[in-house]
Amino acid sequence: MKTEEDEKEIEATKAPLMDHLIELRSRLIKALGAFFLTFLFCFFFAGDIYNILIFPFEWIAGSENTRFIYTALLEFFWTKVKLAMFGAAFLSFPIVATQIYMFVAPGLYRHERKAFVPYLVATPFFFVLGAAVVYFMVMPMIVRFSLGMQQLGGAGQAKIELLPKVGEYLDLMMWLVLSFGVAFQLPVILTLLGRIGLLTSDTLRAKRRYFIVGAFVIAAVLTPPDVISQLSLAGPLLLLYEGSIWSVRLVEKKAAAEAAAKAAASAKPAE
């Protein structure tokens, strides 16, 4: 609910268009500067970061069987560039998000700013949670499945050995991390929709059967065309959906309690 104090606060932040453009330029420079510096940092340590990313493969295959190749002269260099950009996006996100919030915040009411901050914190948390699921669960399962398809060779059989390319492994890792990171934003999105009144916990319960089908469709679209990756995403999505129902229910209870408190406060003078 807007109060007179909120209106005065918004009025105090009003400024000419040119001032807003100057502020926007300043925020963009800081955000791009953070991305550039973290890019340089990640590129300098790209080899070490790549060794961390191949740990799921080494964990399953063993150090003695961990071997990656590249078949083009500059392939590993461009792989390091992509890796540095990917790492920079991760590391610079807190600064970039803070700059966006600081630019938008003056135009928000106090209660809107308070409501926005938890989602600003929850978004990277769930993204990192999705990345962790990829790193510790999905990639090891994919590696184990892929290694199991090798052919040792012998009489009447060719030897078929898995030799991953550095670029293709990184592309798969990045795609899975992005897919799971975005998909794991489900509780944040549904809770936000519940907070602004577009969804209710009862609606989510009633639509549960449709989401079960939708979860597998989303998994089929976002993950590589193998059953392991799809099930690895669809399963957590269903758990997150159930958690979203609980979260929206909490938001509804809190909103109802606040409305009751305001009604009680407004009724006191009348008595």
Side-chain angles (χ1 to χ4, degrees):
M1 179 181 291
K2 302 174 185 177
T3 64
E4 184 177 349
E5 185 179 351
D6 290 333
E7 295 290 350
K8 289 180 179 180
E9 188 177 356
I10 291 294
E11 288 293 330
T13 60
K14 285 187 176 181
L17 177 61
M18 187 58 65
D19 290 346
H20 286 299
L21 292 177
I22 293 173
E23 175 74 8
L24 177 61
R25 184 187 65 177
S26 175
R27 299 300 178 191
L28 286 175
I29 290 174
K30 292 177 181 177
L32 291 175
F35 180 84
F36 180 70
L37 291 176
T38 51
F39 171 82
L40 293 178
F41 174 82
C42 290
F43 185 79
F44 185 79
F45 293 101
D48 297 319
I49 297 173
Y50 196 88
N51 287 330
I52 294 174
L53 292 181
I54 64 176
F55 172 75
F57 189 97
E58 185 178 3
W59 178 25
I60 302 301
S63 300
E64 66 281 0
N65 297 319
T66 301
R67 181 185 175 194
F68 287 75
I69 64 171
Y70 59 95
T71 57
L73 293 178
L74 296 177
E75 181 179 351
F76 193 42
F77 170 78
W78 289 114
T79 298
K80 288 185 175 181
V81 171
K82 287 193 295 184
L83 179 58
M85 293 181 67
F86 190 65
F90 265 98
L91 296 179
S92 65
F93 177 80
I95 299 176
V96 173
T98 300
Q99 295 302 316
I100 294 174
Y101 175 75
M102 292 177 69
F103 178 74
V104 175
L108 301 176
Y109 292 102
R110 185 179 304 172
H111 69 278
E112 291 174 334
R113 291 198 297 269
K114 290 181 179 178
F116 187 74
V117 170
Y119 298 100
L120 192 63
V121 176
T123 297
F125 171 78
F126 280 101
F127 193 96
V128 172
L129 181 61
V133 170
V134 171
Y135 190 79
F136 293 107
M137 292 179 57
V138 179
M139 280 304 295
M141 287 192 294
I142 292 177
V143 171
R144 184 178 288 108
F145 176 78
S146 301
L147 289 174
M149 298 184 67
Q150 292 183 117
Q151 190 168 280
L152 298 178
Q157 285 188 339
K159 183 177 181 180
I160 302 176
E161 185 178 2
L162 175 64
L163 293 175
K165 295 180 65 177
V166 291
E168 292 177 353
Y169 181 87
L170 179 63
D171 289 342
L172 176 60
M173 176 68 81
M174 288 193 304
W175 178 251
L176 286 174
V177 167
L178 286 173
S179 299
F180 276 68
V182 171
F184 271 53
Q185 301 304 312
L186 181 68
V188 179
I189 296 172
L190 293 182
T191 305
L192 182 59
L193 292 176
R195 187 180 184 90
I196 62 179
L198 294 180
L199 278 179
T200 65
S201 57
D202 292 334
T203 302
L204 293 177
R205 289 192 186 93
K207 303 298 182 182
R208 182 185 283 117
R209 67 182 69 179
Y210 300 107
F211 182 79
I212 293 175
V213 177
F216 284 93
V217 173
I218 293 172
V221 172
L222 293 181
T223 61
D226 63 271
V227 177
I228 296 176
S229 300
Q230 293 171 7
L231 290 177
S232 299
L233 180 55
L237 278 179
L238 296 178
L239 293 177
L240 290 171
Y241 187 80
E242 296 298 326
S244 300
I245 296 175
W246 175 79
S247 178
V248 172
R249 181 59 181 159
L250 287 180
V251 169
E252 291 172 345
K253 289 182 177 179
K254 183 178 179 181
E258 290 176 352
K262 289 178 181 178
S266 60
K268 284 182 180 180
E271 295 176 354

